[in-house]
Amino acid sequence: MTRLLLALVLIVSAASAQAAVRIKDIADIKGLRENQIIGYGLVIGLNGTGDTLRNAPFTEQSLQSMLENMGINVRNETTSTTNPARPTTLRTRNVAAVMVTADLQPSIGAGERMDVTVSSLGDATSLLGGTLVMTSLRAADGAVYAVAQGAVTVAGYSVGGQAQNVSQGTPTAGRIPNGALVEREVQGSLHEMEFLVLELKNPDFVTATRILDAINRYAGGRYRAQIAFERDYRTIVLSKPRHIGPVRFLAEIGELTVEPDTPARVVINERTGTVVIGRDVRISTVAVTHGNLTVRVTEMPVVSQPAPFSRGQTVVVPQTVVEANEAGSQVAILSGVDLQRLVRGLNQIGLKPSGIIAILQAIKTAGALQADVIVQ
């Protein structure tokens, strides 16, 4: 298991060291991003699995407001002195209050459709078979950008009785494919930008320099000019030539390939025993040994019975057996010039993932591990 894990780490790291990626996969265009929108609505048509209106008063208030907007009086209000106003108690279990969320794409236009996610707010047990009533979706600026409505698709279920319940997935959350209709476009366009700015998803000085050189090398032969200028280790400014459109220009730049640089980092997940070692991790020469001391305590009580006619009592006599075993261990010298030697040195000791994690943490404490250790 240990050899397989370390071999997998070696293969992945070696492959990532030799692979070049496209610029559009490691950088985004500043100003072109998704916007989150949210709305509050009601899901109707549930088969008795909706909110309990007594426990979810906001559902009752929303239902009353919706019916009143349609001209239906559900509050039983009157101005008679002999018959004072008395609110009507709603007892339906076919309605659930939900929050509707979606991500508004930067290039989406008015009239297009997109998917939305519906999540229950009250004590509804399932949204299966429900239909979302028209719900306005707003952004952080308070403007309405889309309107959602449609049948809710739920992947999970929950059924059971008084003594047993069987559930799978989350029946109180679902999606509506193409359930939202875009009413307003996001302000901003490529044609309105004076300069195009690339933002690295993983900021790094070396990666930014390689992207800059790749773009200027391509632009020197294509446009006879230097069009890329670094602003910092995270952003690169592009000056678009006048005779080409922004879409074609970004398409050409995005297809250029570079080899991104990665920091020397070791990621450890102690819960799952996962160890990921970056290809630039270096270890100074150290001697490592790892041994396990196993102590086993076994209780074997013995029943002691008195002799016949002795008027004695039967008692249980405790009997404990303690065994201690310390397995032999090897001393290995780790001089990790590269990842391959590090993996080979750890394989010589023959460790489990938990042992590898302990050794890496000890080497980092000793100051011999030249990398950042991240424990998840």
Side-chain angles (χ1 to χ4, degrees):
M1 179 63 181
T2 304
R3 295 179 183 272
L4 178 60
L5 175 63
L6 295 177
L8 179 62
V9 173
L10 178 59
I11 293 174
V12 173
S13 300
S16 61
Q18 300 175 357
V21 299
R22 298 175 299 180
I23 292 179
K24 68 179 183 180
D25 295 328
I26 59 177
D28 294 327
I29 305 298
K30 185 177 182 179
L32 297 182
R33 61 177 181 86
E34 296 181 348
N35 292 272
Q36 296 177 337
I37 53 179
I38 189 173
Y40 170 83
L42 294 176
V43 171
I44 62 175
L46 302 176
N47 187 17
T49 59
D51 293 339
T52 304
L53 300 186
R54 179 176 299 179
N55 298 332
F58 48 86
T59 305
E60 182 178 6
Q61 295 174 6
S62 302
L63 181 59
Q64 290 175 350
S65 300
M66 182 185 68
L67 293 177
E68 286 180 353
N69 290 335
M70 296 181 178
I72 304 174
N73 183 14
V74 295
R75 299 180 187 272
N76 196 21
E77 296 180 352
T78 180
T79 58
S80 174
T81 57
T82 59
N83 187 13
R86 184 180 64 231
T88 302
T89 302
L90 302 178
R91 300 183 182 275
T92 178
R93 284 297 305 272
N94 298 338
V95 182
V98 295
M99 295 299 296
V100 184
T101 57
D103 292 331
L104 190 64
Q105 300 295 330
S107 58
I108 196 168
E112 299 186 31
R113 289 187 171 272
M114 61 181 182
D115 299 345
V116 295
T117 302
V118 181
S119 304
S120 175
L121 277 177
D123 57 354
T125 57
S126 177
L127 299 180
L128 182 63
T131 301
L132 177 68
V133 181
M134 186 174 60
T135 303
S136 300
L137 302 181
R138 303 175 182 271
D141 58 358
V144 177
Y145 284 87
V147 177
Q149 183 173 272
V152 181
T153 302
V154 179
Y157 63 87
S158 178
V159 295
Q162 297 180 355
Q164 188 176 4
N165 186 27
V166 178
S167 62
Q168 180 179 358
T170 306
T172 55
R175 292 180 62 84
I176 305 179
N178 295 327
L181 185 64
V182 178
E183 299 291 344
R184 177 183 299 186
E185 297 181 3
V186 179
Q187 298 296 329
S189 174
L190 290 175
H191 297 277
E192 300 175 0
M193 298 181 182
E194 182 178 0
F195 294 98
L196 300 177
V197 180
L198 292 178
E199 292 185 339
L200 274 66
K201 297 179 180 179
N202 296 313
D204 184 83
F205 290 101
V206 177
T207 304
T209 303
R210 291 176 181 176
I211 293 177
L212 180 69
D213 295 339
I215 294 176
N216 285 331
R217 190 182 309 113
Y218 173 80
R222 177 73 167 82
Y223 308 113
R224 306 297 180 183
Q226 301 294 310
I227 62 173
F229 309 92
E230 73 276 7
R231 176 178 296 175
D232 49 38
Y233 73 106
R234 183 174 180 268
T235 57
I236 298 174
V237 181
L238 303 179
S239 178
K240 182 184 69 66
R242 295 182 179 180
H243 62 278
I244 187 173
V247 176
R248 179 176 294 274
F249 173 70
L250 291 176
E252 295 178 357
I253 297 300
E255 290 297 326
L256 300 179
T257 58
V258 296
E259 182 182 342
D261 190 49
T262 56
R265 185 172 297 169
V266 178
V267 181
I268 296 174
N269 192 324
E270 296 184 353
R271 297 187 301 272
T272 61
T274 303
V275 181
V276 179
I277 305 174
R279 65 183 177 95
D280 293 324
V281 174
R282 298 292 184 269
I283 291 184
S284 304
T285 302
V286 290
V288 178
T289 180
H290 184 78
N292 294 324
L293 176 63
T294 303
V295 179
R296 178 179 299 175
V297 179
T298 306
E299 296 288 347
M300 296 185 299
V302 178
V303 178
S304 176
Q305 295 183 350
F309 308 105
S310 62
R311 296 183 180 181
Q313 297 181 352
T314 301
V315 297
V316 178
V317 180
Q319 183 176 356
T320 304
V321 178
V322 180
E323 297 179 359
N325 182 21
E326 185 175 6
S329 60
Q330 300 178 356
V331 178
I333 298 178
L334 302 181
S335 55
V337 179
D338 52 20
L339 180 60
Q340 185 175 1
R341 292 190 179 183
L342 171 61
V343 174
R344 186 184 303 115
L346 293 176
N347 277 333
Q348 290 178 359
I349 307 177
L351 299 175
K352 295 181 179 179
S354 59
I356 296 176
I357 293 174
I359 286 181
L360 290 176
Q361 291 177 337
I363 294 177
K364 179 64 177 179
T365 303
L369 181 60
Q370 313 306 328
D372 296 331
V373 178
I374 300 177
V375 180
Q376 296 181 345

